[in-house]
Amino acid sequence: MLGVGVVVWLSSELMFFAGLFGAYFTLRSSTAVWPPTDVHLAVGRTALATAVLVASSATMHLGVRAAEHGDRKGLVRWLAVTAVLGTVFLANQVLEYAELEFSISSHAYGSSFYLMTGFHGLHVAGGILFMVATIGLVAGRSEAPPGPPVTVCGYYWHFVDVVWVAMFATIYLIQ
């Protein structure tokens, strides 16, 4: 039941992000210069941060596998590693925001860039909090099987990763 609920919720999140992508491509198609001349993104560094986020999907998978085998210590270790990798990704986003020469109100590109990356960053932060809560549940005195909460945490994290790969390709590579 928990898994079905999370999948339904992730479907609504998919529609939310699809709306952001739709707005981005609509603005892009109706603007003469895209991106504007004041846009200079740290593509290389963000590509490295993207690789870190993709690697975090692998560590999340290892955490889910540990949960399936009843290995609570391994599960906690892999979730912690995943949370650290997610934090590294967010740190890059904060650094990039600090360096950018445009703001959310500079132009349509700025609005779409900050909305897309900002909402994704909030989802990454939410995923990290989810992992920390799951670690607290699993590492505590609970005798409940760790599988279900870790599995849905994994669903969420993989979703966030896939959305970012599409976002990175759209914003940083295709432009």
Side-chain angles (χ1 to χ4, degrees):
M1 185 81 137
L2 177 63
V4 171
V6 169
V7 168
V8 169
W9 175 64
L10 289 177
S11 297
S12 72
E13 291 292 294
L14 180 61
M15 289 184 271
F16 171 75
F17 279 107
L20 291 176
F21 277 97
Y24 179 90
F25 284 113
T26 299
L27 291 169
R28 181 176 181 235
S29 70
S30 63
T31 305
V33 178
W34 193 269
T37 56
D38 65 336
V39 173
H40 306 285
L41 302 176
V43 178
R45 190 181 67 223
T46 303
L48 184 58
T50 299
V52 167
L53 193 64
V54 170
S56 76
S57 253
T59 59
M60 174 57 80
H61 176 72
L62 292 171
V64 171
R65 296 286 295 166
E68 291 171 351
H69 291 98
D71 178 8
R72 287 179 183 264
K73 287 184 181 182
L75 163 62
V76 168
R77 179 180 62 249
W78 288 118
L79 284 182
V81 169
T82 305
V84 167
L85 292 173
T87 302
V88 168
F89 175 83
L90 281 181
N92 177 68
Q93 188 171 8
V94 168
L95 179 61
E96 182 168 38
Y97 282 5
E99 294 175 348
L100 290 175
E101 298 171 2
F102 62 94
S103 71
I104 194 168
S105 60
S106 296
H107 34 62
Y109 181 89
S111 297
S112 60
F113 174 85
Y114 280 101
L115 283 173
M116 290 176 76
T117 60
F119 275 114
H120 181 267
L122 287 174
H123 281 76
V124 171
I128 293 168
L129 291 174
F130 191 179
M131 283 181 254
V132 169
T134 303
I135 288 170
L137 176 72
V138 172
R141 297 178 186 234
S142 173
E143 295 296 322
V150 174
T151 299
V152 297
C153 188
Y155 290 166
Y156 179 80
W157 195 251
H158 294 311
F159 171 80
V160 167
D161 283 2
V162 168
V163 167
W164 178 255
V165 169
M167 205 172 281
F168 175 74
T170 298
I171 295 172
Y172 290 85
L173 301 179
I174 298 171
Q175 298 184 344

